[in-house]
């Protein structure tokens, strides 16, 4: 049985272990079965009159946490924290905020959610630095995204957009942030269904003036090769509504190779629309393109002879 007796007159705490009064002279005998580190904490508690008795057995296998409990008591932290915190480093972080005069009571609600220590480290840091946490549901935020969220929060991005239960990868989030940094909406990407290859391309294109013109013609079903060609077509001014046609399944009817052939005809002011026929094979398309090249060269040759 653990008993703590307070002498109201002397304002001293008499440490009792069972029915024995613990003093600086006998604590080693009483706690001889405890580690040297635990004994050092007990010694300090005796000298400072710190009531750590309720926590000695609970944390005897974690003397660092026991030491932080002792220091927290000395600094006036509520005993509630010792029931919900299982890491000495977390108590250190809470003590730092407490010493700065920051009210840590609002953090209590997060510690009732049973999050990981990694979550608590970031939550305490963000709270202490003044970032608003009201829009976040940390219960559905994976540990492996905490670093990415930290990066985004510090740069002022609305990271709660990604706190929607979707299991984003770090790469996915970083691509979205790059797109966001160039002033574009990322709403269409927040269902997590876009392939990372397309997102990487879009994040690269997002700094271009052509991104805004093209993005309305891009869906998650586009292939990377088609996306690359669509961007190139957009840059040369091709009407994207003509080359972004999809079938009833949402699949783009023009392949990347097909688009490159169409684009070459467009750049040379040839009849590119004759190449929009989806029934043509790549060989047939190249044959038509070669005919256009030949006819064009004949015209140039004729003009040269006249001159």
């Amino acid at each position: 049985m653990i008993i703590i007796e307070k002498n109201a007159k002397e304002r001293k705490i008499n440490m009792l272990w069972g029915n024995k009064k613990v003093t600086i002279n006998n604590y080693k005998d009483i706690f001889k079965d405890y580690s040297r580190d635990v004994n050092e904490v007990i010694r300090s508690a005796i000298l400072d009159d710190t009531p750590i008795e309720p926590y000695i057995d609970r944390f005897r296998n974690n003397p660092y946490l026991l030491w932080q409990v002792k220091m927290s008591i000395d600094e006036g932290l509520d005993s509630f924290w010792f029931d919900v915190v299982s890491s000495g480093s977390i108590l250190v972080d809470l003590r730092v905020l407490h010493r700065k005069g920051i009210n840590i009571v609002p953090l209590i609600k997060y510690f009732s959610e049973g999050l990981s220590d990694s979550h608590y480290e970031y939550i305490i840091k963000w709270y202490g630095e003044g970032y608003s946490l009201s829009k976040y549901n940390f219960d559905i935020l994976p540990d492996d995204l905490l670093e990415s969220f930290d990066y985004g929060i510090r740069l002022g991005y609305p990271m709660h957009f990604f706190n929607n239960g979707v299991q984003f990868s770090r790469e996915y989030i970083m691509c979205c942030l790059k797109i966001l940094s160039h002033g574009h909406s990322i709403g269409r990407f927040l269902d997590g269904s876009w392939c990372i290859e397309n997102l990487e391309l879009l994040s690269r294109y997002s700094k271009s003036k052509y991104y805004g013109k093209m993005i309305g013609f891009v869906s998650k079903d586009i292939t990377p090769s088609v996306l690359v060609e669509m961007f190139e077509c957009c840059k040369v001014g091709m009407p994207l509504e003509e080359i972004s046609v999809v079938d009833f399944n949402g699949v783009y009817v023009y392949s990347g190779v097909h688009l490159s052939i169409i684009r070459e005809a467009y750049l040379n002011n040839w009849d590119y629309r004759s190449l929009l026929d989806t029934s043509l094979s790549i060989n047939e398309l190249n044959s038509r393109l070669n005919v256009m090249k030949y006819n064009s060269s004949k015209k140039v040759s004729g003009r040269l002879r006249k001159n």
Side-chain angles (χ1 to χ4, degrees):
M1 180 179 179
I2 300 173
I3 303 174
I4 301 177
E5 296 180 352
K6 292 188 177 181
N7 185 315
K9 183 178 180 180
E10 297 181 358
R11 308 300 297 172
K12 299 282 286 183
I13 298 173
N14 297 314
M15 182 182 288
L16 295 178
W17 192 253
N19 59 357
K20 293 182 180 179
K21 182 178 180 180
V22 182
T23 69
I24 199 69
N25 296 318
N26 67 4
Y27 78 93
K28 288 185 178 180
D29 292 330
I30 295 174
F31 296 100
K32 63 180 183 298
D33 294 328
Y34 292 70
S35 71
R36 179 177 178 180
D37 290 337
V38 170
N39 269 265
E40 284 300 309
V41 179
I42 294 170
R43 179 179 181 277
S44 179
I46 294 170
L47 294 174
D48 293 337
D49 297 323
T50 308
I52 65 164
E53 294 93 316
Y55 311 104
I56 293 176
D57 272 343
R58 192 193 306 182
F59 304 130
R60 67 179 296 178
N61 293 321
N62 191 343
Y64 179 67
L65 176 56
L66 182 61
W67 173 254
Q68 292 306 322
V69 167
K70 187 265 177 190
M71 296 297 292
S72 298
I73 294 173
D74 290 343
E75 294 173 5
L77 264 68
D78 193 283
S79 61
F80 162 84
W81 296 109
F82 314 142
D83 294 326
V84 297
V85 175
S86 59
S87 165
S89 62
I90 300 300
L91 276 181
V92 170
D93 293 340
L94 290 169
R95 287 174 52 214
V96 169
L97 296 191
H98 185 70
R99 286 199 302 271
K100 290 180 178 178
I102 297 174
N103 179 19
I104 61 175
V105 172
L107 290 172
I108 289 176
K109 65 179 180 180
Y110 299 112
F111 282 85
S112 63
E113 295 177 4
L115 303 173
S116 70
D117 285 347
S118 296
H119 278 84
Y120 292 132
E121 288 175 3
Y122 279 103
I123 288 171
I124 293 170
K125 179 167 61 173
W126 293 329
Y127 176 80
E129 294 176 6
Y131 296 107
S132 174
L133 306 180
S134 60
K135 294 182 179 180
Y136 294 94
N137 179 3
F138 293 109
D139 191 46
I140 59 173
L141 176 59
D143 281 40
D144 58 2
L145 290 185
L146 286 167
E147 185 177 351
S148 298
F149 269 62
D150 184 57
Y151 172 83
I153 287 173
R154 292 181 181 284
L155 290 179
Y157 292 118
M159 298 304 292
H160 59 278
F161 286 173
F162 304 99
N163 190 206
N164 59 3
V166 175
Q167 298 299 304
F168 297 104
S169 68
R170 181 182 183 279
E171 292 74 19
Y172 197 101
I173 289 178
M174 298 308 289
C175 285
C176 287
L177 292 183
K178 188 172 182 180
I179 294 170
L180 197 61
S181 73
H182 292 122
H184 304 295
S185 170
I186 59 170
R188 63 173 57 205
F189 309 122
L190 294 179
D191 64 355
S193 63
W194 290 66
C195 74
I196 193 63
E197 291 84 2
N198 282 341
L199 264 188
E200 288 174 345
L201 286 170
L202 289 171
S203 67
R204 191 186 313 159
Y205 298 154
S206 65
K207 63 182 179 181
S208 166
K209 64 181 181 180
Y210 302 106
Y211 178 91
K213 298 177 182 179
M214 178 189 69
I215 193 61
F217 297 95
V218 176
S219 78
K220 64 182 178 181
D221 297 311
I222 198 170
T223 63
S225 62
V226 172
L227 179 55
V228 168
E229 272 305 320
M230 188 176 291
F231 183 68
E232 294 302 319
C233 290
C234 183
K235 284 166 61 177
V236 298
M238 288 187 67
L240 297 185
E241 62 273 11
E242 292 185 353
I243 60 173
S244 60
V245 181
V246 298
D247 64 17
F248 62 91
N249 289 318
V251 177
Y252 287 79
V253 298
Y254 298 118
S255 69
V257 175
H258 194 155
L259 288 179
S260 69
I261 294 171
I262 296 171
R263 179 166 56 88
E264 184 175 351
Y266 179 87
L267 283 171
N268 288 282
N269 293 314
W270 301 331
D271 182 16
Y272 76 92
R273 286 192 173 92
S274 67
L275 302 175
L276 294 174
D277 187 348
T278 57
S279 66
L280 298 174
S281 68
I282 296 300
N283 286 336
E284 290 171 323
L285 289 167
N286 278 319
S287 294
R288 288 197 179 188
L289 186 67
N290 287 333
V291 170
M292 293 178 188
K293 290 179 181 178
Y294 176 74
N295 290 336
S296 177
S297 65
K298 281 177 59 178
K299 291 179 182 178
V300 172
S301 176
R303 286 196 299 269
L304 291 174
R305 283 197 298 271
K306 289 180 181 179
N307 293 334

